[in-house]
Amino acid sequence: MEPLTFSKIFKVLSATHISAAEKEQFIRVNRTEIDSLLEGKINSDAFQNVMKDRPLILFKPFKNSLTKAGDKKILASTVGISPSKVDSYIQYISDEIKSGNFNNISKEKLELAKTYAYRHGTKEQVINFLDYELSSAKDILGVLYRTLAYNTCGAADYFVRPIHRMDNKTLVNLYDIIDKNLKNAVIKGNINEMDRERTAEWALVRIYEIQNNQKFRNAIKLKNKLEFS
């Protein structure tokens, strides 16, 4: 049996003829080897290669001083609905994005819903709003970097919270959305094939890093709990 390589991991997760369930099983079966291969790439020059000649956009950290109930009241007041309808409102927009019928929703409402979903939504909603964010981006590489960086109000910040665990299924679905939108950007002529492949490889490593940072934080939290119990 041939040893697993990063190229093979990339090809499997980028393949359109392999189902999400099969990709998830591939990760599960080969987890130890994947851990070893991707950990070696986290500290590589992949990020610098992707962002070469692109100015860094600075974002202030999103200070989450409001409770979910407070955020819900603010969103409800802004869009003109009652707080009790916010969850169904976010789900409606998420479903419209997934079905491709969101063009009749104003950009302002989409952005407001996306901000709320990235804070309090379900994992499925986050993936749908990421799809919207990337599909409507004029600079998909810049947007992808921002949303996968911490303290930018983006998708990565959603997975900082222990209750938003990134399991293998979520990792596969997240990567599929990114890969799909990068391929569409090539078709539209917004990026070239070299940029697509390089960015897709970087995104795979970055998602893995986010998933494992979450595991590390949870391990530290458990350790501290046991020490002080």
Side-chain angles (χ1 to χ4, degrees):
M1 183 176 178
E2 294 184 3
L4 191 64
T5 63
F6 177 73
S7 177
K8 184 175 180 179
I9 297 170
F10 176 66
K11 286 179 180 178
V12 169
L13 294 185
S14 299
T16 56
H17 65 281
I18 300 176
S19 70
E22 290 172 323
K23 291 176 182 178
E24 185 182 350
Q25 183 181 17
F26 170 79
I27 292 175
R28 185 168 55 251
V29 170
N30 297 285
R31 190 73 211 198
T32 301
E33 289 181 87
I34 292 174
D35 283 353
S36 177
L37 287 166
L38 293 188
E39 281 176 358
K41 284 190 167 287
I42 286 175
N43 295 320
S44 71
D45 294 330
F47 175 76
Q48 285 81 0
N49 288 336
V50 172
M51 291 297 116
K52 186 179 180 181
D53 299 325
R54 290 182 174 275
L56 178 63
I57 302 174
L58 300 178
F59 288 82
K60 294 182 179 180
F62 194 66
K63 298 184 181 300
N64 189 12
S65 60
L66 298 175
T67 62
K68 182 176 181 179
D71 288 348
K72 187 171 286 188
K73 288 179 181 178
I74 292 172
L75 178 62
S77 175
T78 303
V79 299
I81 60 176
S82 67
S84 64
K85 293 183 178 180
V86 165
D87 289 342
S88 58
Y89 175 80
I90 296 297
Q91 186 60 50
Y92 162 74
I93 295 181
S94 176
D95 290 342
E96 290 293 280
I97 291 171
K98 187 172 183 178
S99 64
N101 297 323
F102 62 90
N103 290 328
N104 60 331
I105 303 173
S106 71
K107 181 176 175 59
E108 180 183 9
K109 288 184 177 180
L110 285 165
E111 290 296 322
L112 288 168
K114 183 190 74 176
T115 298
Y116 184 89
Y118 280 174
R119 286 163 66 94
H120 307 299
T122 66
K123 287 179 281 190
E124 292 75 17
Q125 289 170 351
V126 168
I127 289 170
N128 288 339
F129 278 99
L130 176 63
D131 193 12
Y132 152 71
E133 186 172 29
L134 296 179
S135 66
S136 58
K138 293 181 179 179
D139 176 12
I140 189 172
L141 301 187
V143 170
L144 186 59
Y145 161 68
R146 180 193 61 77
T147 199
L148 291 183
Y150 293 125
N151 299 321
T152 65
C153 313
D157 286 330
Y158 176 85
F159 294 103
V160 168
R161 301 172 64 186
I163 60 171
H164 297 155
R165 188 172 66 90
M166 187 192 291
D167 51 23
N168 290 338
K169 179 180 179 181
T170 303
L171 184 150
V172 168
N173 291 339
L174 200 63
Y175 181 76
D176 279 350
I177 286 298
I178 291 170
D179 190 50
K180 180 194 78 172
N181 280 286
L182 286 172
K183 288 174 179 175
N184 288 341
V186 173
I187 294 172
K188 294 176 183 176
N190 294 335
I191 61 174
N192 60 40
E193 180 60 28
M194 183 179 295
D195 282 338
R196 182 205 68 79
E197 184 169 341
R198 190 168 56 183
T199 306
E201 290 183 359
W202 169 79
L204 174 58
V205 175
R206 178 61 186 149
I207 293 171
Y208 170 84
E209 182 182 27
I210 291 169
Q211 184 189 51
N212 280 270
N213 281 349
Q214 185 183 55
K215 291 178 181 177
F216 176 75
R217 284 192 299 272
N218 289 343
I220 293 296
K221 183 178 179 181
L222 177 61
K223 179 177 180 292
N224 290 338
K225 183 177 180 180
L226 290 174
E227 287 180 349
F228 291 98
S229 61

